[in-house]
Amino acid sequence: MPAQDGLATLKIDRSRGRSRSIAGKLILLAVLVVLVALAVTFAPKLAETYFGVEVSVAPVTYMETGKGELSAAGYIVADRVSVVAFKRQPAS
């Protein structure tokens, strides 16, 4: 038997259908919902332990600063200089 005759007899069986059954799709959906629920539940706790920063609270203390006033001396220097001019149009 030649190779071409053997290849001519090969066919793809399309009678079984392409997609999964509805039960298979529901199982896949249920697994995805459970995975998302687990991620939502445990992700913040894992992130807190992984990225957690130790915080300590210091007590509030009041310091006596005395009486005084704040004063400053100096001058202001502009970063940019702008020139504004008026040009009069001759009367016609």
Side-chain angles (χ1 to χ4, degrees):
M1 176 162 79
Q4 291 178 347
D5 291 338
L7 291 176
T9 60
L10 294 176
K11 293 184 180 179
I12 298 174
D13 182 17
R14 297 190 189 271
S15 63
R16 295 177 60 189
R18 290 184 183 177
S19 65
R20 297 178 181 163
S21 66
I22 292 177
K25 289 180 182 178
L26 288 176
I27 291 172
L28 181 63
L29 180 64
V31 169
L32 287 175
V33 167
V34 168
L35 287 176
V36 168
L38 288 173
V40 167
T41 302
F42 293 112
K45 293 176 186 174
L46 290 174
E48 181 180 323
T49 58
Y50 184 72
F51 296 112
V53 176
E54 190 174 324
V55 177
S56 61
V57 179
V60 177
T61 58
Y62 294 98
M63 296 174 49
E64 183 64 37
T65 58
K67 294 185 178 180
E69 59 181 65
L70 178 65
S71 63
Y75 55 94
I76 298 174
V77 178
D79 290 338
R80 298 181 185 158
V81 177
S82 298
V83 177
V84 179
F86 173 73
K87 186 175 183 181
R88 178 176 273 185
Q89 295 284 333
S92 14

